Amino acid sequence: MNKSNRDQNILILGTGYVGLITAVGLSKLGHNVSCYDVDDEKIEILKRGVAPLFEPDLPRLLNEGLAARRLKFSSSITDSYADQRYVFVAVPTPMFAGGGVDLSALHAAVATIAKLVRKQTLVIIKSTVPVGVFSELRNSLSPTQRRQITFVSCPEFLSEGNAIHDFFNPRRTVVGSDEILVSEEVAGLFHELPGKFILADPNTAQMIKYSANSFLATRVAFINEIAQLCEVLHIDVIDVASALLMDPRLGDGYLTPGVGFAGPCLPKDVSALIDTAKRSSLRTPLLTSLCEQNFGHLNHVIETISAGLGARNQVAVFGLSFKPRTDDVRNSFSLKIINALAEGGIQVRATDPCAIPAARTQISSNLVSFCDDPMDAAMDTDRQIFLTPWDEYRGLDLRVLAGIVRTRSIFDAAGLFDPQMITQQGFQYVGVGRQFGAQGRPTFVCG
Ligand code: NAD
């Protein structure tokens, strides 16, 4: 078990979903955390104690850290840097259009800190980075910087919407360094946290992260494929999935049928792993087929949703973020579905508990409008399409909904509703892989 490493001075580069959660979490553990970001606007908002992203419990912890003076934000690296031994890097590592990882922000962040260090420093990479990247980073340093900087991998496993809970209740904390004492020292910063500590070499740590996300993507793709089979075989996929989840050999979660794996991490991390394999001249037929399956499934969902709809129709879309309890719309399949509907000339009234501002910046079609109130979104619509499983939608009054729509026609990709209850209110119900009541796959009957 690693020793506690308390009350340390820590610098974090990047205050996005990962950097900010790490910052408030470490400050709550008693460390003094200074945060630097190239985004001045974000830093100004953070200084005022306002969270620039939606994450349950984040505002409380942010303000506690500021009030206790254990959290500081600046868009000046010279103001932020005070010889901290621990420098966390949590900058984006997005996917290039043709696959592969864009490491430009990582290189820029490392160059920023390398210019300043005057003593032995641990640069701890929270960003998801491909196996082997540390030698590339070391090669970018001058000989003096190379003697002063040790890179450590500390991959992040948080799940957006649950990120604060995940920080304080990790299933495991992975620390990757070639020097065991360094790994123990970094693990000691998180000493109070429960769960197992895995001390590995950097490449193993990075492979654990990519394998975890690829495995989660595999589970999602798998259950969506089973859902499509269930549709043609007249079986309810929820009966199948619930039984699978009772078997401890099959593990927890990520077996809920839906629109596909999306968001800022799973698709890019699967693609990065395929790219890593290609560089070693290795074929990865399973990983490669995941991406194909995922897009095929999304197209299947779009076809099902749009069945019988045309330019004369108006629909409501419930849920814009790629998952509930976050405002993150990066690579959200809801936006892809909305764009596909609008391209077909269908008017879309979209709603979400918190992701409307982010979605507005991504959608330009004048056939799409946004409504804060879900009932406003549903008004006079021909189909009600539930894409993100926000709890807020489970409690919608179906009687009221039935009274305000033009056609009672629900598509439930989010597994929010009991089909029997929906049909009792006079709605047609179609879900992903759902089967209920009379024989035959439920499909929309139009006209
Ligand atoms: P993000 O886009 O929300 O935040 C990144 C932040 O870094 C932004 O505020 C940006 O302004 C800042 N930045 C960019 N270049 C910088 C630089 N040179 N110096 C300082 N700041 C800089 O990204 P994120 O979602 O927090 O993801 C960060 C990394 O963590 C990625 O590698 C991602 O794959 C990984 N990750 C993300 C999640 C997640 O759920 N979001 C989970 C696990 C791992």
Side-chain angles (χ1 to χ4, degrees), residues 35 56 175 247 416:
C35 301
V175 182
D247 185 337
L416 285 164

Side-chain angles (χ1 to χ4, degrees), residues 16-18 37 42 91 93 127-128 156 158 160 265 268 330:
Y17 287 86
V18 170
D37 200 293
K42 194 180 270 186
V91 299
T93 49
S127 299
T128 306
E156 180 57 60
L158 69 77
E160 285 182 25
C265 292
K268 93 168 165 65
R330 289 177 290 177

Side-chain angles (χ1 to χ4, degrees), residues 13-19 36-39 42 53 90-94 104-106 108-110 112 126-129 155-160 209 213 264-265 268-269 322 328 330:
L13 306 191
T15 56
Y17 287 86
V18 170
Y36 160 75
D37 200 293
V38 288
D39 184 339
K42 194 180 270 186
L53 52 95
V91 299
T93 49
S104 53
L106 180 76
V110 166
T112 302
K126 275 257 137 210
S127 299
T128 306
V129 294
E156 180 57 60
F157 295 94
L158 69 77
S159 169
E160 285 182 25
K209 172 63 194 170
N213 273 5
C265 292
K268 93 168 165 65
D269 291 349
F322 79 99
D328 197 345
R330 289 177 290 177

Side-chain angles (χ1 to χ4, degrees), residues 97-164:
V101 185
D102 177 354
L103 294 171
S104 53
L106 180 76
H107 279 290
V110 166
T112 302
I113 194 65
K115 270 188 223 137
L116 296 174
V117 290
R118 293 176 289 238
K119 54 179 233 186
Q120 293 299 316
T121 306
L122 303 183
V123 174
I124 305 157
I125 309 293
K126 275 257 137 210
S127 299
T128 306
V129 294
V131 170
V133 90
F134 278 14
S135 50
E136 205 181 299
L137 292 177
R138 271 192 291 266
N139 288 341
S140 71
L141 302 178
S142 72
T144 316
Q145 291 167 345
R146 222 172 290 151
R147 277 193 296 279
Q148 288 174 325
I149 291 178
T150 302
F151 290 106
V152 182
S153 173
C154 185
E156 180 57 60
F157 295 94
L158 69 77
S159 169
E160 285 182 25
N162 230 15
I164 297 288

Side-chain angles (χ1 to χ4, degrees), residues 28 44 90 109 157 173 264 273 278 328 335 350 357 367 384 397:
K28 182 73 183 170
E44 286 313 309
F157 295 94
T173 301
L273 199 51
K278 260 193 207 145
D328 197 345
L335 303 195
L367 289 178
Q384 300 77 46
D397 189 330

Side-chain angles (χ1 to χ4, degrees), residues 419-434:
Q420 309 284 8
M421 250 172 58
I422 293 285
T423 46
Q424 275 162 17
Q425 295 296 333
F427 284 91
Q428 286 186 72
Y429 176 96
V430 176
V432 177
R434 300 307 306 271

